[in-house]
Amino acid sequence: MKQNRQGWFTIMAEFSPKFKEALSLVQKPGRYTGGEPGCVYKDKNAVDVRMAFCFPDTYEIGMSFLGEKILYDLLNRHENWWCERAFMPWTDMKEQMERLQIPLYCLESKDPLTDFDIVGFSLEYELCYTNILAMLQLAGIPLRAADRDEHWPLIIAGGPCVCNAEPMADFFDVMQLGEGEQMLQDICAAVEKGKKQGWNKETLLLELAKLPGIYIPSFYDVSYEEDGRIKAITPNHPGVPERVSKAIVKNMDDYEPPKNFVVPIVGAVQDRASVEVLRGCVRGCRFCQAGQIYRPFRERSPKMISDCARELCRNTGYDELSLTSLSTSDHSRLEEILDELNSWAEADHVSLSLPSLRVDNFSQSMVEKTTKVRKSGLTFAAEAGTQRLRDVINKNVTWEQIERGCRIAFSEGYTSVKLYFMMGLPTETMEDIKGIADTAQKVVDLFYQIPDRPKGKGVQVTISVACFVPKPDTPFQFCAQDRRETLREKQKYLLSCVHSRKIKVNYHDSATSVLEGVFAKGDRRLGRVIETAFENGAFFDTWEEYFDYDRWMDAFAACGIDPDFYNYRSLELDEVTPWSHLDVGVSHAHLVREYQKALKAETTQPCNRQCSGCGANKLLGGPCFDYSKDLL
């Protein structure tokens, strides 16, 4: 394979007059040209499998997604496979493509999606669902899997939303549960074999269903109780598993991180070098879906991290390196990693960023080792404003630890801190909401109590408050979501509790959180709602200027479906859920135990201190940790 280094004028020469006309009329044509440093070109006539990796949001958002970079690199290491990229065009380009009848295409070859064997989407968040339909429509591909035979590309999905695949089940041929490194290669290998042996679509899907983590929605039937709850989800083909178990990477060092990235022409939201240092999380926060579905905890070795990061920075020219994970400071050898990186990073003028720090293990040494080139921002996730509620959600963070972390930060020259909270958590009271403002005020007061704080500067504490959404495969999946009116009351009360100009409050729109909650716990019947809303103009629902709550409510009404049934109703502990047939490794019994402990505000130790018996260790075939060693 070769990596493209074409200039702007060479890129433009590739386009037809229609393309050039469209690009001349849009705000950011660089989103649609391709040709970036690091992109992979191959001879399409010399490859056996072509895959279009589609991200259902703008170029700037999609190019920030590390998962795409990992899989793009991995698939393109196969000489006879070619993975290319496509993103959701912004509204101006979408309008021009429809007017000029330009089908959605991939940036590398400029070929339409219909020329590919596989069209894959990453389902990172629920409000991207209508963008997936928009991209299929722009490509001229039928929206529903039932309307596509073997002459159409295989439409597949992966990502965290697949842990409840049902709302989008009607639109995908294949859905990938779990981690894609090996699973996606196995899919490509099956497609290659099927093409050579002349399989029809049914034969291909039956072969794919044998692979770990592969869910074929059309191979399962759903029956319902009279009250609307799910009665059963059962296979309708022989040999198809009753429960699909997720695929995982057992040893992170078996898959080397990318040593080169496609460097965006139009600046990405997260435009820096990134290396994933670990996968999973030891903390067990009861609200956190990622912390459950990415279990068990697995680390990469310091030398592999450092060697790949150094080559990545030198290949791309990036001068900032992010050590990415759910909780980077929980890596048992983090100090060793930072020492390895600093052996070259300072000389190469590369700054280090730890975007997922835990305030309880934040240290002066960590600050010193990550600020040799420049300081990055500091965000501490307190999640809740009172100790009682932090115990309910199993955050395992105390005010003393928050105070210690902020004291270190201020002593090391920081004058601003962002504190992340959630609103609408189970058992929450107005006293807990006031606790958010009180915590921020105590941080402000702490700044002025520190003798060696930066002189001549004030402090800025930013409170960022998200609306809690109960998610599948978490202990809080059984909980009802706070109603929109309640969330608004809490937001208004929080603002009334803040009395300092040194505290800034940001909060999320409760309307989008309501819809997110519906689709997070929804079932297959919601596919009609998504399609109806899309037909009525819904897309870019994650963007405030295009989200229309009333349009969605009209779609629910037109389909005769009550959205409140999904997010404002508590689940029975033994209820069959839309995701009961999808096994992410964490047992139902564990979720029930943790939910019951939450109601009593009892905490559970991080799993590198004491095993909680979640069941994820079965994916490794043995214990996740050696408890004879002190890992902390």
Side-chain angles (χ1 to χ4, degrees), residues 442-485:
K442 286 196 285 186
V443 172
V444 170
D445 296 342
L446 175 67
F447 177 83
Y448 293 103
Q449 295 168 10
I450 296 176
D452 53 349
R453 69 179 185 274
K455 298 301 188 289
K457 294 183 178 180
V459 65
Q460 181 68 56
V461 177
T462 301
I463 301 172
S464 181
V465 187
C467 297
F468 167 69
V469 176
K471 295 279 188 167
D473 298 308
T474 70
F476 288 161
Q477 69 178 20
F478 307 106
C479 301
Q481 187 177 11
D482 260 9
R483 289 188 174 271
R484 188 181 179 191
E485 298 76 19

Side-chain angles (χ1 to χ4, degrees), residues 487-549:
L487 290 170
R488 284 175 167 174
E489 289 176 11
K490 291 180 177 179
Q491 290 168 345
K492 184 177 179 180
Y493 180 64
L494 173 61
L495 292 174
S496 73
C497 293
V498 174
H499 306 294
S500 172
R501 292 183 179 178
K502 301 183 184 301
I503 299 173
K504 180 181 178 182
V505 181
N506 298 324
Y507 55 81
H508 294 179
D509 178 24
S510 58
T512 56
S513 298
V514 167
L515 194 63
E516 182 184 344
V518 172
F519 290 120
K521 293 166 69 173
D523 55 44
R524 196 171 292 197
R525 292 171 292 192
L526 295 185
R528 289 187 292 123
V529 177
I530 295 168
E531 191 169 10
T532 300
F534 169 68
E535 289 170 349
N536 292 336
F539 62 95
F540 277 127
D541 290 300
T542 56
W543 295 78
E544 183 179 348
E545 59 265 47
Y546 293 106
F547 178 75
D548 187 333
Y549 182 79

Side-chain angles (χ1 to χ4, degrees), residues 113-178:
L113 299 192
T114 48
D115 286 2
F116 289 75
D117 302 299
I118 303 169
V119 173
F121 289 88
S122 185
L123 275 59
E124 294 298 307
Y125 32 85
E126 291 83 0
L127 295 187
C128 74
Y129 289 168
T130 49
N131 275 12
I132 293 169
L133 301 191
M135 293 176 77
L136 289 173
Q137 186 179 78
L138 277 171
I141 297 173
L143 301 185
R144 289 183 171 264
D147 297 329
R148 301 189 296 263
D149 59 19
E150 56 264 24
H151 298 100
W152 294 99
L154 188 73
I155 311 299
I156 70 175
C161 289
V162 175
C163 71
N164 178 18
E166 293 306 283
M168 291 295 286
D170 288 338
F171 308 110
F172 286 101
D173 302 310
V174 177
M175 303 186 89
Q176 301 173 241
L177 182 66

Side-chain angles (χ1 to χ4, degrees), residues 15 18-19 21-23 25-26 31-32 86-107 110-113 134-135 137-140:
F15 289 115
K18 286 198 301 184
F19 275 105
E21 181 181 347
L23 293 175
L25 296 171
V26 300
R31 290 166 163 165
Y32 314 109
F87 303 94
M88 176 66 189
W90 190 243
T91 54
D92 55 356
M93 184 62 171
K94 179 177 181 291
E95 180 182 342
Q96 296 305 321
M97 292 174 71
E98 291 169 338
R99 181 180 68 86
L100 296 167
Q101 297 184 329
I102 300 171
L104 186 63
Y105 58 92
C106 278
L107 295 182
K110 313 301 184 298
D111 287 340
L113 299 192
M135 293 176 77
Q137 186 179 78
L138 277 171

